[in-house]
């Protein structure tokens, strides 16, 4: 299957990635090559094979008690944010 | 005596017997890092002040007689592990200025044991690559030939150990990222069973495949570190609550009667004859020690790479959605609206290979394609796991080459992603099945090291390390150091 430039623009939008024109051209070719490569899997008859959800057999997702374990460290955690005001993250206006 | 060519056990003994202090040891490795990093580019961040502070603490512990085997041992951390108060970049522009607000469990455990942090090692961006060329901070050079790559993604860790800039370094392995660079730089590296080592604070790439491990000259060195890194961690929901054996106490050098499964598919197809000959020569060392070779087959092993390149990008696209330019990480200048903020922050912050994998995963998971690709890949993953399990009814460990070729020249693999992906053709299977696997040096081709891969059933790290140790008792490949770094 061959992807068009428009397909890749749509994928980039879904992935929230801005791409330059040059990047779009490279991505169109390389994504097409990758899809052709992984398409080898379609030749295999996998009827009856349980999809493997975990690399270890019989493991289940563990749950922890629903209690607060974190202390308030927002100053430390927010030190990596580029724009803050009153401990709130600033983004461009969403609602006019 | 060269401090940088001593094993971990020898370093520990020297520290305990006061032949040298942890501070002297730290200064020695700090000086080596500063002297050689300009060329090798193996560290993204050197932490000399932290190292001296750690060493002073270690010396105080040793003076009180409280130190353990690792107290005062210098090490390098792959820059994928969060280090509290120290820049943690994952080799990405996205995290260029990121100072982690907490320690990864691996970092915490190794620090608690008294190790000394020398720095954070270079890697492929977000661990996506097999040559260390996707790093935002530039490629790492292979100490055996600085015109060549060290492998990846843990290429910086491999290079610092190979050049003896650190006695040991952590790594992570999603599709071969510990084993392939270990092979290409002539050192030992182990990826334990999935869930054995906590992933807490280890920046996620593909969560069902990622596993932390360790890289050092010998299997014995690896054993001493792995037994401290491993263990249950409630903060990682996939951490396994299984006791950790004292790996270093189980390095029995005898392989008498050990059934070594030679995986037929690993030697078919593209494997270079000279590479195959090195692996066969290594197997003869085991036969001479009383091991038994068994021919085994995993017929669908060839599908492991395409399976991986569905599962890994799918999980990557999901994991990397956290980088939104809002809470941490790179943010673009003057965003005109929220969508522009997301798109340009991510477009500028991620490199080409990372964007490629995010888009691949986004496509594979999108409506209408999920069953055909992701679900199918999970079924093939089941098939490959069953084939491994069947092989382990005939053999105690499986063997093969680690990498199809020795280290290749920088910039050699061009723009074709598939060529690069096929570097991991022998290593990916173990990740898909969650199996422990290790690479140990087994000789040289044209002056470049190559590795022998050992794969075991779940939770047989002791067996793998002991099997590797037995080989290293009979050979000295793991003691070879590139001439410029002796």
């Amino acid at each position: 299957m061959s992807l068009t430039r428009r397909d890749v623009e749509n994928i980039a939008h879904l992935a929230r990635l801005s791409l330059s024109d040059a990047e779009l051209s490279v991505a169109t070719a390389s994504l097409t090559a990758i899809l052709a490569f992984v398409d080898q899997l379609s030749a295999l008859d996998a009827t009856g094979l349980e999809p493997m959800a975990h690399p270890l057999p019989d493991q289940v997702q563990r749950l922890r008690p629903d209690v607060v374990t974190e202390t308030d460290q927002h100053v430390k955690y927010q030190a990596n944010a580029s724009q803050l005001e009153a401990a709130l993250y600033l983004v461009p206006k969403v609602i006019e | 005596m060269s401090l940088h060519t001593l094993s971990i056990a020898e370093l520990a003994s020297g520290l305990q017997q006061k032949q040298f202090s942890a501070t002297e040891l730290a200064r020695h490795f700090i000086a080596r890092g500063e002297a050689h990093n300009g060329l090798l580019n193996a560290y993204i961040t050197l932490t000399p002040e932290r190292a001296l502070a750690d060493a002073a603490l270690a010396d105080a512990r040793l003076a009180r007689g409280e130190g353990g085997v690792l107290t005062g041992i210098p090490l390098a951390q792959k820059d994928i592990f969060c280090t509290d108060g120290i820049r943690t970049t994952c080799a990405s522009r996205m995290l260029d200025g990121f100072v982690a607000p907490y320690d990864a469990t691996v970092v915490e455990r190794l620090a608690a044991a008294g190790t000394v942090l020398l720095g954070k090692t270079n890697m492929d961006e977000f661990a996506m690559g097999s040559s260390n060329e996707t790093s935002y901070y530039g490629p790492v050079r292979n100490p055996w030939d600085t015109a060549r790559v060290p492998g990846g993604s843990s290429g910086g860790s491999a290079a610092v150990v190979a050049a003896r800039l650190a006695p040991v370094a952590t790594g992570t392995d999603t599709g071969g990222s510990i084993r392939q660079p270990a092979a290409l730089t002539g050192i030992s590296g182990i990826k334990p069973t999935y869930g054995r080592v906590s992933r807490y604070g280890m920046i996620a790439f593909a969560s069902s495949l990622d596993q932390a491990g360790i890289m050092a000259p010998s299997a014995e060195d690896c054993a001493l570190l792995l037994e401290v890194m491993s263990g249950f961690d409630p903060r990682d929901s996939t951490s396994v609550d299984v006791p950790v054996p004292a790996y270093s106490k189980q390095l029995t050098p005898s392989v008498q009667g050990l059934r070594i499964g030679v995986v037929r598919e690993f030697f078919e197809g593209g494997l270079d004859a000279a590479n195959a000959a090195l692996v066969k020569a290594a197997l003869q060392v085991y036969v001479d020690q009383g091991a038994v070779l068994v021919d085994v087959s995993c017929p669908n092993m060839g599908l492991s790479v395409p399976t991986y390149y569905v599962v890994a990008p799918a999980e990557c696209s999901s994991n990397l959605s956290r980088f939104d330019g809002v809470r941490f990480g790179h943010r673009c200048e003057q965003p005109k609206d929220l969508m522009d903020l997301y798109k340009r922050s991510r477009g500028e912050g991620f490199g080409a290979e990372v964007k490629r994998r995010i888009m691949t995963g986004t496509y594979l998971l999108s409506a209408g394609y999920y069953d055909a690709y992701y679900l199918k890949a999970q079924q093939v993953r089941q098939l490959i796991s069953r084939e491994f399990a069947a092989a382990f009814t005939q053999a105690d460990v499986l063997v093969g080459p680690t990498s199809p070729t020795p280290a290749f020249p920088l910039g050699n693999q061009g723009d074709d992603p598939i060529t690069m992906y096929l570097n991991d053709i022998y290593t990916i299977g173990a990740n898909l099945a969650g199996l422990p696997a290790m690479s140990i040096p087994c000789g040289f081709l044209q002056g470049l090291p190559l590795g022998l891969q050992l794969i075991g059933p779940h939770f047989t790290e002791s067996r793998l390390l002991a099997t590797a140790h037995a080989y290293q008792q009979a050979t000295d490949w793991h003691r070879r150091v590139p001439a410029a770094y002796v």
Side-chain angles (χ1 to χ4, degrees):
Chain A
M1 179 169 64
S2 191
L3 290 178
T4 64
R5 199 177 165 90
R6 174 154 294 231
D7 292 330
V8 177
E9 280 172 344
N10 185 42
I11 296 165
H13 170 70
L14 291 173
R16 301 294 186 265
L17 289 169
S18 65
L19 296 185
S20 67
D21 279 351
E23 283 180 311
L24 260 177
S25 302
V26 173
T28 305
S30 64
L31 290 187
T32 298
I34 291 167
L35 290 178
F37 177 70
V38 302
D39 209 40
Q40 291 175 63
L41 299 180
S42 65
L44 184 92
D45 179 7
T47 312
L49 276 168
E50 183 71 18
M52 191 167 137
H54 196 290
L56 298 177
D58 310 322
Q59 288 290 320
V60 289
Q61 198 79 345
R62 209 173 45 244
L63 297 176
R64 65 170 178 82
D66 185 16
V67 293
V68 176
T69 57
E70 291 291 316
T71 53
D72 178 10
Q73 299 188 61
H74 76 269
V75 175
K76 188 175 187 186
Y77 293 160
Q78 290 189 315
N80 281 298
S82 53
Q83 275 193 288
L84 282 178
E85 198 175 297
L88 300 172
Y89 298 100
L90 296 190
V91 294
K93 190 179 270 187
V94 178
I95 303 164
E96 291 301 330
Chain B
M1 179 177 61
S2 292
L3 290 174
H4 55 273
T5 54
L6 298 180
S7 70
I8 303 287
E10 288 165 340
L11 289 173
S13 158
L15 286 164
Q16 313 266 339
Q17 290 167 23
K18 311 276 192 286
Q19 289 167 8
F20 43 83
S21 68
T23 301
E24 287 167 323
L25 191 57
R27 286 192 196 283
H28 180 79
F29 280 105
I30 290 168
R32 285 186 69 77
E34 285 171 351
H36 295 295
N37 198 49
L39 175 61
L40 294 178
N41 197 31
Y43 283 108
I44 291 173
T45 306
L46 287 159
T47 56
E49 284 152 28
R50 165 68 185 266
L52 290 173
D54 287 350
L57 284 174
D59 279 329
R61 279 172 77 173
L62 289 163
R64 294 194 301 269
E66 291 170 6
V69 176
L70 297 187
T71 305
I73 300 293
L75 65 78
Q77 289 282 1
K78 185 175 181 179
D79 207 17
I80 196 168
F81 292 103
C82 286
T83 41
D84 194 354
I86 295 173
R87 189 165 76 127
T88 300
T89 69
C90 230
S92 179
R93 184 184 182 196
M94 180 59 85
L95 290 174
D96 186 37
F98 181 73
V99 177
Y102 68 100
D103 276 333
T105 297
V106 162
V107 171
E108 193 178 85
R109 281 177 186 253
L110 289 171
T115 62
V116 170
L117 180 65
L118 294 171
K120 307 288 297 288
T121 60
N122 204 344
M123 51 184 283
D124 280 297
E125 185 181 5
F126 284 102
M128 298 174 199
S130 306
S131 68
N132 216 115
E133 293 170 297
T134 72
S135 169
Y136 175 61
Y137 302 95
V140 175
R141 293 175 181 273
N142 191 320
W144 290 96
D145 176 351
T146 52
R148 291 174 187 270
V149 306
S153 68
S154 309
S157 288
V160 298
V161 173
R164 305 302 193 261
L165 308 187
V168 60
T170 56
T172 61
D173 191 314
T174 304
S177 281
I178 286 174
R179 291 161 286 157
Q180 184 255 17
L184 269 43
T185 57
I187 64 167
S188 305
I190 182 165
K191 175 201 95 73
T193 308
Y194 183 79
R196 176 76 294 182
V197 176
S198 171
R199 292 186 296 110
Y200 179 77
M202 184 177 118
I203 297 168
F205 159 19
S207 303
S208 78
L209 303 163
D210 295 343
Q211 180 58 212
I214 198 79
M215 309 169 82
S218 73
E220 183 195 60
D221 297 333
C222 290
L224 285 165
L225 273 289
L226 189 63
E227 65 195 20
V228 171
M229 291 165 68
S230 300
F232 177 63
D233 179 7
R235 294 176 297 185
D236 170 2
S237 66
T238 57
S239 172
V240 181
D241 197 357
V242 171
V244 181
Y247 299 126
S248 63
K249 303 278 193 300
Q250 300 187 359
L251 297 174
T252 51
S254 171
V255 292
Q256 185 69 42
L258 184 80
R259 298 172 303 161
I260 296 180
V262 183
V263 183
R264 201 182 305 159
E265 289 73 16
F266 283 165
F267 295 87
E268 289 170 350
L271 184 63
D272 177 68
N275 187 344
L278 277 186
V279 174
K280 294 278 168 70
L283 296 181
Q284 189 58 43
V285 172
Y286 282 119
V287 171
D288 292 345
Q289 295 182 354
V292 182
L293 300 186
V294 186
D295 175 48
V296 301
S297 174
C298 297
N300 286 293
M301 193 68 86
L303 291 177
S304 63
V305 185
T307 301
Y308 178 89
Y309 278 97
V310 174
V311 175
E315 295 184 10
C316 142
S317 72
S318 170
N319 271 323
L320 270 63
S321 65
R322 75 192 58 181
F323 299 101
D324 55 8
V326 175
R327 296 155 302 152
F328 56 89
H330 177 75
R331 174 181 258 196
C332 67
E333 296 288 337
Q334 307 289 324
K336 68 176 173 14
D337 55 30
L338 193 56
M339 184 61 84
D340 184 45
L341 169 66
Y342 293 148
K343 285 188 172 179
R344 279 201 292 128
S345 297
R346 289 165 61 79
E348 294 166 6
F350 294 133
E353 181 61 26
V354 173
K355 282 189 263 197
R356 174 147 56 217
R357 296 205 196 183
I358 290 173
M359 287 192 287
T360 304
T362 301
Y363 178 80
L364 296 172
L365 291 176
S366 61
Y369 299 105
Y370 176 86
D371 284 2
Y373 291 106
Y374 189 73
L375 207 65
K376 185 68 176 274
Q378 295 287 57
Q379 288 178 300
V380 181
R381 196 174 173 186
Q382 182 78 263
L383 181 65
I384 289 169
S385 296
R386 287 184 188 172
E387 289 181 357
F388 270 119
F392 284 125
T393 64
Q394 300 169 263
D396 303 308
V397 298
L398 303 180
V399 295
T402 305
S403 142
T405 65
F408 42 89
L410 285 157
N412 196 43
Q413 301 218 342
D415 285 336
D416 176 16
I418 308 296
T419 309
M420 188 65 87
Y421 295 173
L422 289 170
N423 277 297
D424 295 328
I425 189 163
Y426 304 122
T427 48
I428 277 173
N431 299 84
L432 292 174
L435 301 169
M438 158 153 220
S439 179
I440 53 174
C442 70
F444 290 80
L445 278 186
Q446 283 113 40
L448 298 168
L450 268 171
L452 170 73
Q453 186 180 202
L454 306 167
I455 306 172
H458 293 131
F459 301 107
T460 58
E461 287 79 4
S462 282
R463 188 189 301 167
L464 288 186
L465 289 161
T467 305
H469 181 65
Y471 179 79
Q472 293 180 337
Q473 296 301 103
T475 59
D476 74 344
W477 304 118
H478 62 291
R479 293 203 186 86
R480 306 286 179 95
V481 181
Y485 303 95
V486 174

